Amino acid sequence: MKIDIQAPFPVFEHIQTLIEEKVNKMSTFYDQILGAKVFLKDDVNPLRHKPSRVAEIQLDVPGSTLFAEATEETFEQAIASAAEKIKKQILKYKEML
């Protein structure tokens, strides 16, 4: 599966490895995933006055696109949270077939 990682900053190798592990694991739940896009960004929350990390995962499946977004204190947490959300969507999508 092709994984496209997009970020407005250089992505460290350990983050890239974590993304590949989490996204490739999705194919154990549904083997017809066509491709994935992962977007990473820093987001400053004006209410909390501290930066937060955002991870968005978009999976292309036959006939549809699944999308999950998570905001956490670190990219590792955000990626794990978004992966969990997209896993639930994959299982729901699979039930509908």
Side-chain angles (χ1 to χ4, degrees):
M1 169 187 357
K2 183 180 183 310
I3 303 170
D4 181 23
I5 301 171
Q6 298 179 9
F9 48 83
V11 178
F12 293 115
E13 189 174 330
H14 76 280
I15 298 290
Q16 196 166 6
T17 304
L18 178 66
I19 290 170
E20 290 171 0
E21 286 174 9
K22 295 287 185 181
V23 173
N24 284 328
K25 187 176 179 181
M26 296 302 137
S27 58
T28 61
F29 303 108
Y30 185 63
D31 61 353
Q32 294 184 14
I33 298 173
L34 304 172
K37 292 181 185 170
V38 179
F39 306 94
L40 301 176
K41 59 185 173 183
D42 283 325
D43 191 23
V44 177
N45 186 337
L47 299 176
R48 295 172 65 198
H49 298 290
K50 72 182 204 179
S52 55
R53 311 298 187 238
V54 179
E56 300 174 349
I57 300 175
Q58 176 181 318
L59 291 182
D60 297 321
V61 295
S64 187
T65 300
L66 306 177
F67 181 82
E69 177 181 13
T71 304
E72 299 288 345
E73 288 185 17
T74 66
F75 281 118
E76 291 86 352
Q77 292 171 334
I79 292 164
S81 183
E84 188 62 33
K85 290 178 183 180
I86 204 91
K87 174 185 156 189
K88 290 177 184 176
Q89 290 184 30
I90 289 172
L91 296 174
K92 257 187 173 176
Y93 176 79
K94 212 171 148 182
E95 285 178 11
M96 291 173 36
L97 296 179

